[in-house]
Amino acid sequence: MTHQHDLSGQPEGEVNFGFEDLFFSRTDRRGVILAGNDVFQRVSGFAWAELLGAPHKIIRHPDTPRAVFRILWDALGGGHPMGGYVKNRARNGDYYWVFAVILPTDEGFLSIRLKPSTPLFTQIGAVYADLAARERTERLDPGDSARMLWTTVTEAGFTSYTTFMASALGQELAARDTRLGRPADPRTRRLIEMNDALERVTQEQKKLLRSFEALQSIPNNMRLVASRLEPSGGPVSAISENYRASSLVISDRLRSFVSGRENLCDRVSRQVARALFLLGANRVLAEMIASFRQADPVAGVDWPMEAEKLGRARDLTLQESRTALASAVGHAEELARSSAEIRRLMLGLDTIRVMGRVECGRLRENGTGLVATIDQLDLFHAEIKTRLETILRLSEQIGGVMNRFVAGDLQG
């Protein structure tokens, strides 16, 4: 998607605002605007009298797919914070992009929005353009469109939309710090690293499961070889049956924590992503509160009351991020135990494989087919061991970061 640019380098039709600017708005449960800040009013181009009491969709741009709002509202309706890239429309028809951090409150919802600038933002812009066009031409239901967006996110390597949004917020905050000449926030950096490591663990475990499932054909080959080499129930047959049974146990164990809804890997990822998102929200809330001290009076907006509401939200995000990380630690410990059990079971599988190699020696030239089968096992075992080592190394890295946070490092 290309844009014409004016002499300043600003795309034609895009409202200009700075990286230092943070938008604030608060609505009731129906999405009616109850309060906002000067950045929101200035960039949107609406007068205060037009904003207060108006539905928040007054700034909605048709280029933002309805899928985005379906995902946001589903999360917020369940009492969960959520974020998203949103293209808004100003009063004069111009547009502006924001990354919105939205939190449910007792009265409704509050949102802090910042200027996005990462490569991820560039990628999502192209995805939105395609999806919005499909919504219009194919008259997609928002639910179907939301599933398409979720699929796009998972194909990009994220295990859920929550982990995608958490990663996006962390990256946008880090990029914003750089643009404003601020030192990097160590909490955000460590949580981004942990989130990325968790995504890699999940992908490695899925590959590990596929490797084990591919193994299932090898004991069958071994039985066919055995039927040509020995009477029924001979040593090669017994080895193939023991190998099949042991590998099935490992596959079932792996499947239980990498497949299906509420699997162990996803539970850890979601809780870490939730903590990352909440800590990012905590940062922008603190900055927003500070800006109210210099705010000019606005009829219908009580700045001290808004600051108090934001303060309560900030306290809650810190508290909930601690809870999320504590939950993640519990799940991660279970994941570590499961990984250690897989490694222990692999030792048993290795023993059976070695017994097969011994039989190859006993059978000598008659065991050519068995040698080829055992060679296949050697390759699979080497691949599986490499993946297990990667998983255990990443798990230790994740555990170290989480324990530092839970020990009280959330404040900075």
Side-chain angles (χ1 to χ4, degrees):
M1 190 178 212
T2 59
H3 298 286
Q4 295 297 316
H5 289 68
D6 62 23
L7 294 177
S8 69
Q10 187 76 15
E12 187 178 338
E14 183 175 6
V15 183
N16 190 24
F17 63 95
F19 284 96
E20 72 280 1
D21 289 325
L22 286 178
F23 297 65
F24 163 70
S25 60
R26 185 172 62 82
T27 74
D28 65 13
R29 292 191 175 279
R30 297 171 301 145
V32 173
I33 299 169
L34 302 177
N37 70 335
D38 63 318
V39 176
F40 179 38
Q41 185 273 320
R42 168 171 53 84
V43 177
S44 71
F46 288 93
W48 279 115
E50 295 173 298
L51 286 175
L52 298 177
H56 210 278
K57 64 183 179 183
I58 193 174
I59 59 168
R60 183 177 295 184
H61 196 292
D63 284 356
T64 300
R66 292 183 297 163
V68 176
F69 298 108
R70 170 58 67 90
I71 290 170
L72 289 173
W73 284 112
D74 282 353
L76 294 167
H80 305 295
M82 186 48 82
Y85 291 101
V86 180
K87 186 177 184 179
N88 287 330
R89 181 160 58 183
R91 191 179 191 279
N92 66 357
D94 288 349
Y95 71 92
Y96 57 98
W97 280 95
V98 296
F99 186 92
V101 176
I102 310 172
L103 305 172
T105 67
D106 291 340
E107 302 92 351
F109 310 97
L110 64 83
S111 173
I112 312 289
R113 301 179 291 285
L114 53 94
K115 186 181 181 78
S117 66
T118 63
L120 191 58
F121 162 57
T122 305
Q123 293 166 23
I124 207 69
V127 171
Y128 277 19
D130 178 64
L131 194 53
R134 290 190 64 180
E135 285 181 348
R136 287 190 290 270
T137 58
E138 300 174 28
R139 298 186 177 181
L140 290 177
D141 174 85
D144 292 336
S145 183
R147 281 187 285 276
M148 287 180 181
L149 183 54
W150 184 86
T151 299
T152 300
V153 164
T154 55
E155 286 174 350
F158 295 95
T159 53
S160 69
Y161 199 82
T162 302
T163 56
F164 167 64
M165 279 297 104
S167 181
L169 177 56
Q171 290 180 44
E172 293 299 347
L173 286 173
R176 184 170 179 264
D177 286 338
T178 300
R179 297 268 187 168
L180 296 175
R182 297 173 177 173
D185 178 61
R187 300 176 309 167
T188 304
R189 186 182 67 250
R190 284 196 296 271
L191 275 171
I192 290 173
E193 290 169 358
M194 184 162 61
N195 199 50
D196 290 345
L198 269 168
E199 292 297 300
R200 292 199 300 278
V201 165
T202 303
Q203 297 306 321
E204 283 294 322
Q205 284 174 327
K206 287 178 179 176
K207 291 173 185 173
L208 187 61
L209 178 59
R210 286 196 292 271
S211 295
F212 270 106
E213 288 175 340
L215 272 179
Q216 303 312 310
S217 65
I218 296 179
N220 294 333
N221 296 340
M222 208 182 296
R223 279 200 301 276
L224 290 172
V225 170
S227 68
R228 295 194 297 269
L229 294 174
E230 63 186 16
S232 177
V236 177
S237 298
I239 288 168
S240 69
E241 184 55 37
N242 287 340
Y243 193 94
R244 187 188 70 82
S246 296
S247 63
L248 280 174
V249 168
I250 298 177
S251 292
D252 288 344
R253 190 75 189 92
L254 264 175
R255 200 174 290 111
S256 72
F257 64 84
V258 300
S259 300
R261 283 188 62 80
E262 295 303 310
N263 69 74
L264 193 53
C265 287
D266 281 357
R267 289 206 300 270
V268 179
S269 289
R270 277 201 301 274
Q271 293 299 332
V272 170
R274 180 177 171 83
L276 172 55
F277 190 85
L278 288 164
L279 284 172
N282 185 267
R283 283 191 62 197
V284 294
L285 283 165
E287 191 174 335
M288 194 75 255
I289 293 165
S291 75
F292 283 169
R293 298 191 189 108
Q294 291 83 36
D296 294 330
V298 173
V301 180
D302 182 340
W303 294 129
M305 184 184 76
E306 297 304 327
E308 184 182 336
K309 288 180 183 296
L310 285 168
R312 286 202 299 272
R314 186 190 178 204
D315 292 343
L316 189 60
T317 56
L318 192 60
Q319 176 187 328
E320 289 184 348
S321 61
R322 289 185 187 280
T323 302
L325 275 175
S327 176
V329 167
H331 294 322
E333 287 172 351
E334 188 180 346
L335 190 59
R337 286 194 295 272
S338 296
S339 296
E341 182 188 353
I342 296 293
R343 185 163 59 176
R344 180 179 59 77
L345 291 170
M346 272 300 298
L347 292 175
L349 211 56
D350 264 339
T351 301
I352 300 171
R353 178 177 60 88
V354 170
M355 289 170 63
R357 185 65 72 188
V358 170
E359 282 300 308
C360 290
R362 185 180 65 82
L363 293 167
R364 295 188 174 87
E365 65 272 8
N366 293 328
T368 305
L370 183 59
V371 169
T373 303
I374 299 299
D375 286 345
Q376 276 186 294
L377 286 182
D378 288 347
L379 291 173
F380 271 114
H381 279 230
E383 177 189 336
I384 287 166
K385 284 177 181 175
T386 299
R387 294 205 188 285
L388 273 172
E389 285 168 10
T390 301
I391 289 166
L392 289 166
R393 176 175 50 78
L394 289 169
S395 296
E396 287 174 4
Q397 176 186 335
I398 292 161
V401 177
M402 283 201 288
N403 284 326
R404 284 199 297 275
F405 271 95
V406 174
D409 199 23
L410 279 171
Q411 297 279 13

